[in-house]
Amino acid sequence: MKQLIMLFLCFLPLWVAAQESAQWRGENRDGIYNEQGLLKSWIENGPAMLWESLDAGKGYSSPVISGDRLYITSLNEEGDKEVFSAYDLDGKKLYSKEYGKPWTQSYSDARTTPAVVNGKAYVISGSGEIACINVADGSIVWTIDGGTVFERKTGNWGTSECPLVFDNKVIYTPSGEQTTMVALNAETGETVWKSPSLGDVGAYVSPILISYRGKRQIIGSTGVRIFGVDPETGLIEWHFDEWKEPPRERRQQGGASQDTARQPRERQGGASQGAARPPRGPQGKIAPNSPLFKDGNIFFSHGYNIGSYMLKLNDDLKGVTLVWSNSDLDTHHGGYVLLNNTIYGSNWINNNQGNWVAVDWNTGKTIYDNAWEGKGKGSIIASDGMLYCYDERRGTVGLVNPAADKFDVVSEFRITKGEGPHWSHPVVNNGILYLRHGTALMAFNLKK
């Protein structure tokens, strides 16, 4: 019996992925879209456009595809409500449903990417309202004002999180003095558990669920810590806050600095041993990227010269050891991907500039740190062995060869419809590339 249980736990991530295939950055939240037979180069104007819709509404969130529909969030025309919309796969809007209040300060556009599970969509508004929506007709099943109930504590841009859904639980990270992370019943919205509070301000990170050594754990982040939570009880089993000081000199366009590997230091159960100072955390407490996990190792990176970090999870999942850190890769909010033991992403020079970087997963050594000529930083995903990079300021989409020892753009084209920064991450589903730029939603054929 014990062997059968262990076998089930080994295959658990695959089962979770199958259940949650429609969610933030793909089935495992790692930016990898498992497709085959995609084009390895594009014609001058890019892959063939299948359709475009200019009625998506204002939003930074990404679309998700489940069955024969696409789902996305946005603002209504008045800008005082967030809206969940369904489209068919020919780009026709089927319905829209208001579900919550947006963030009312700077950059208020909708930013929660839906998680669609078992015929229901789960979203979190910028003001912290969690909603469960029946995707058949857009009717609201339940809604909870999580920002108020759990006394959330946010940074400058409210809540920006795709809920994690598994085992009939919906995970939300309000942060603050009452709790750090909560689990809600997916059918009713009732509270299942509340974690202890770390007292931190919130981040903008969508948490991940991992399985290691026969045990599961939720990996999440506040504005100043990354942490691991027992998914059954909500107990915070460890947290990490050993941020390095930022370099004195700004990185120059096209240049690389030395990687800054450290000696391993262990953090057990969240204790900051020997740390008299409070945790410094990311500049402005801005942490927007979901971590990557592989073989007991946790990678995460944030912009503003915070850099990137590799942690080794203890076998009992109750502590972590710092393996290496790197100053070159400090992803702003475009995410990163892991292919063939190399991490790819863009870094932060300033809010308008950034290079594209490759770092060795095992050593933390920078492989390249290159400018994309005439473009800047942005979001990244991968599919069928190629990288898809989306420049956030100019809207250029690049097809990049990951096998090169430099940032090697094979083909590129530019998105000209829509408005605002290009912050929505690309999505690939069934051979189609989906891109969102504000009110514009587009589909491109990646197979011919």
Side-chain angles (χ1 to χ4, degrees), residues 37-52:
L38 306 185
L39 295 169
K40 302 303 181 184
S41 64
W42 302 329
I43 60 175
E44 183 177 356
N45 295 323
M49 178 182 284
L50 296 173
W51 55 262
E52 66 177 10

Side-chain angles (χ1 to χ4, degrees), residues 289-321:
N289 299 301
S290 298
L292 299 176
F293 178 81
K294 178 186 176 184
D295 298 334
N297 293 296
I298 304 164
F299 171 84
F300 61 100
S301 176
H302 303 310
Y304 301 95
N305 290 327
I306 295 303
S308 50
Y309 298 78
M310 182 68 76
L311 307 179
K312 179 64 177 179
L313 191 59
N314 290 1
D315 287 351
D316 61 4
L317 280 68
K318 295 186 182 298
V320 293
T321 300

Side-chain angles (χ1 to χ4, degrees), residues 268-406:
Q268 291 286 349
S272 298
Q273 300 170 359
R277 59 168 178 78
R280 186 177 66 85
Q283 179 175 319
K285 301 178 178 62
I286 301 168
N289 299 301
S290 298
L292 299 176
F293 178 81
K294 178 186 176 184
D295 298 334
N297 293 296
I298 304 164
F299 171 84
F300 61 100
S301 176
H302 303 310
Y304 301 95
N305 290 327
I306 295 303
S308 50
Y309 298 78
M310 182 68 76
L311 307 179
K312 179 64 177 179
L313 191 59
N314 290 1
D315 287 351
D316 61 4
L317 280 68
K318 295 186 182 298
V320 293
T321 300
L322 176 62
V323 180
W324 55 257
S325 63
N326 179 290
S327 295
D328 294 324
L329 181 57
D330 58 337
T331 298
H332 195 192
H333 46 62
Y336 26 74
V337 295
L338 173 64
L339 286 180
N340 300 320
N341 285 320
T342 302
I343 307 160
Y344 300 90
S346 60
N347 62 23
W348 180 89
I349 294 174
N350 56 51
N351 283 349
N352 295 311
Q353 290 180 295
N355 296 338
W356 293 81
V357 183
V359 172
D360 185 274
W361 173 270
N362 295 312
T363 67
K365 179 181 179 181
T366 299
I367 299 170
Y368 64 72
D369 181 351
N370 298 156
W372 185 0
E373 185 177 358
K375 291 85 178 175
K377 59 187 173 64
S379 55
I380 185 171
I381 63 168
S383 189
D384 197 19
M386 300 292 282
L387 304 174
Y388 293 77
C389 301
Y390 188 19
D391 164 46
E392 69 182 35
R393 291 295 175 185
R394 299 158 187 83
T396 301
V397 183
L399 183 65
V400 177
N401 173 22
D405 59 359
K406 62 180 181 179

Side-chain angles (χ1 to χ4, degrees), residues 20 265 295 307 432:
E20 300 185 5
R265 285 176 289 172
D295 298 334
I432 298 173

Side-chain angles (χ1 to χ4, degrees), residues 21-78:
S21 59
Q23 61 173 338
W24 168 243
R25 287 181 60 81
E27 61 185 13
N28 293 310
R29 299 194 165 204
D30 58 3
I32 304 295
Y33 292 84
N34 295 311
E35 302 268 331
Q36 293 183 341
L38 306 185
L39 295 169
K40 302 303 181 184
S41 64
W42 302 329
I43 60 175
E44 183 177 356
N45 295 323
M49 178 182 284
L50 296 173
W51 55 262
E52 66 177 10
S53 173
L54 303 181
D55 64 352
K58 292 183 177 181
Y60 306 126
S61 57
S62 301
V64 297
I65 295 86
S66 179
D68 59 356
R69 290 185 178 182
L70 177 151
Y71 303 99
I72 200 164
T73 62
S74 62
L75 298 185
N76 63 6
E77 291 186 3
E78 294 76 20

Side-chain angles (χ1 to χ4, degrees), residues 65-375:
I65 295 86
S66 179
D68 59 356
R69 290 185 178 182
L70 177 151
Y71 303 99
I72 200 164
T73 62
S74 62
L75 298 185
N76 63 6
E77 291 186 3
E78 294 76 20
D80 60 352
K81 293 287 186 179
E82 291 191 19
V83 174
F84 175 82
S85 297
Y87 289 77
D88 67 23
L89 296 187
D90 292 320
K92 178 183 177 182
K93 183 179 283 189
L94 303 175
Y95 64 76
S96 292
K97 180 68 177 182
E98 294 178 354
Y99 62 84
K101 296 179 182 179
W103 179 242
T104 58
Q105 299 179 38
S106 59
Y107 299 105
S108 62
D109 292 5
R111 71 287 303 276
T112 181
T113 295
V116 180
V117 181
N118 298 332
K120 295 183 176 66
Y122 300 88
V123 292
I124 307 175
S125 75
S127 63
E129 294 162 292
I130 308 102
C132 172
I133 303 170
N134 187 327
V135 299
D137 57 8
S139 58
I140 302 295
V141 179
W142 55 260
T143 183
I144 301 293
D145 185 359
T148 300
V149 171
F150 301 113
E151 301 175 319
R152 73 170 183 164
K153 184 178 180 181
T154 73
N156 294 332
W157 297 285
T159 297
S160 182
E161 181 177 350
C162 174
L164 176 66
V165 184
F166 66 95
D167 290 358
N168 203 39
K169 299 186 186 81
V170 181
I171 305 301
Y172 165 51
T173 317
S175 300
E177 301 302 324
Q178 181 188 139
T179 180
T180 293
M181 178 176 281
V182 300
L184 307 178
N185 184 293
E187 297 298 325
T188 66
E190 296 177 351
T191 301
V192 177
W193 51 251
K194 295 193 300 182
S195 78
S197 170
L198 292 171
D200 296 345
V201 70
Y204 314 99
V205 172
S206 299
I208 65 172
L209 178 69
I210 62 99
S211 179
Y212 184 61
R213 302 293 187 184
K215 182 180 177 181
R216 295 185 298 172
Q217 193 170 77
I218 303 167
I219 310 297
S221 180
T222 65
V224 294
R225 293 178 174 91
I226 186 169
F227 59 89
V229 174
D230 185 322
E232 303 303 323
T233 66
L235 175 68
I236 296 177
E237 299 188 289
W238 59 268
H239 62 80
F240 173 86
D241 55 29
E242 283 294 309
W243 310 96
K244 66 188 176 187
E245 292 300 319
R248 292 180 180 274
E249 295 182 2
R250 295 285 185 185
R251 174 192 303 107
Q252 297 300 313
Q253 186 84 354
S257 62
Q258 296 294 320
D259 62 289
T260 57
R262 297 178 176 181
Q263 296 299 316
R265 285 176 289 172
E266 189 168 324
R267 284 304 187 234
Q268 291 286 349
S272 298
Q273 300 170 359
R277 59 168 178 78
R280 186 177 66 85
Q283 179 175 319
K285 301 178 178 62
I286 301 168
N289 299 301
S290 298
L292 299 176
F293 178 81
K294 178 186 176 184
D295 298 334
N297 293 296
I298 304 164
F299 171 84
F300 61 100
S301 176
H302 303 310
Y304 301 95
N305 290 327
I306 295 303
S308 50
Y309 298 78
M310 182 68 76
L311 307 179
K312 179 64 177 179
L313 191 59
N314 290 1
D315 287 351
D316 61 4
L317 280 68
K318 295 186 182 298
V320 293
T321 300
L322 176 62
V323 180
W324 55 257
S325 63
N326 179 290
S327 295
D328 294 324
L329 181 57
D330 58 337
T331 298
H332 195 192
H333 46 62
Y336 26 74
V337 295
L338 173 64
L339 286 180
N340 300 320
N341 285 320
T342 302
I343 307 160
Y344 300 90
S346 60
N347 62 23
W348 180 89
I349 294 174
N350 56 51
N351 283 349
N352 295 311
Q353 290 180 295
N355 296 338
W356 293 81
V357 183
V359 172
D360 185 274
W361 173 270
N362 295 312
T363 67
K365 179 181 179 181
T366 299
I367 299 170
Y368 64 72
D369 181 351
N370 298 156
W372 185 0
E373 185 177 358
K375 291 85 178 175

